[in-house]
Amino acid sequence: MALTPEDVARLAGLARLQLTEAECEELAPELDVILTSVHQVAEVAGPDVPLMTHALPLANVMRDDVVTPSLSQQQALEAAPSAEDGRFRVPQIVSED
């Protein structure tokens, strides 16, 4: 089943992306190739193939969590361009709606 431009428009809407009709038409075959490839990989992966997130085994290297002296609230706010009520004051970038 091929991905249609209408499918792409619906997915874009769910992702809150604004795409033109031309962009939807251009992306539909490209996304269809990606979905077909993922489907082919899913068919090959059987119950004897272990799930993995990386091709090589990875391990996080963690250091001990040690408490060290840091700036006081007043010292941190002294270096700020603007402060209000004991906090950094920054311009609003997201509306409240």
Side-chain angles (χ1 to χ4, degrees):
M1 180 174 112
L3 200 63
T4 66
E6 291 76 26
D7 294 330
V8 174
R10 182 174 178 277
L11 291 171
L14 292 172
R16 297 184 181 188
L17 299 173
Q18 294 180 345
L19 298 177
T20 64
E21 287 183 32
E23 289 171 325
C24 290
E25 289 178 19
E26 180 182 339
L27 287 173
E30 294 177 17
L31 291 173
D32 193 48
V33 168
I34 293 169
L35 291 175
T36 301
S37 299
V38 170
H39 182 68
Q40 289 174 345
V41 170
E43 288 177 348
V44 172
D48 58 332
V49 178
L51 298 175
M52 56 177 33
T53 57
H54 298 283
L56 301 172
L58 298 175
N60 285 337
V61 178
M62 304 288 212
R63 63 176 170 79
D64 291 334
D65 190 12
V66 178
V67 177
T68 58
S70 61
L71 297 176
S72 68
Q73 179 184 15
Q74 185 60 35
Q75 289 171 319
L77 292 174
E78 286 173 1
S82 180
E84 181 179 296
D85 296 329
R87 298 174 295 202
F88 295 107
R89 180 173 171 77
V90 296
Q92 181 176 346
I93 57 171
V94 178
S95 68
E96 306 238 348
D97 297 342

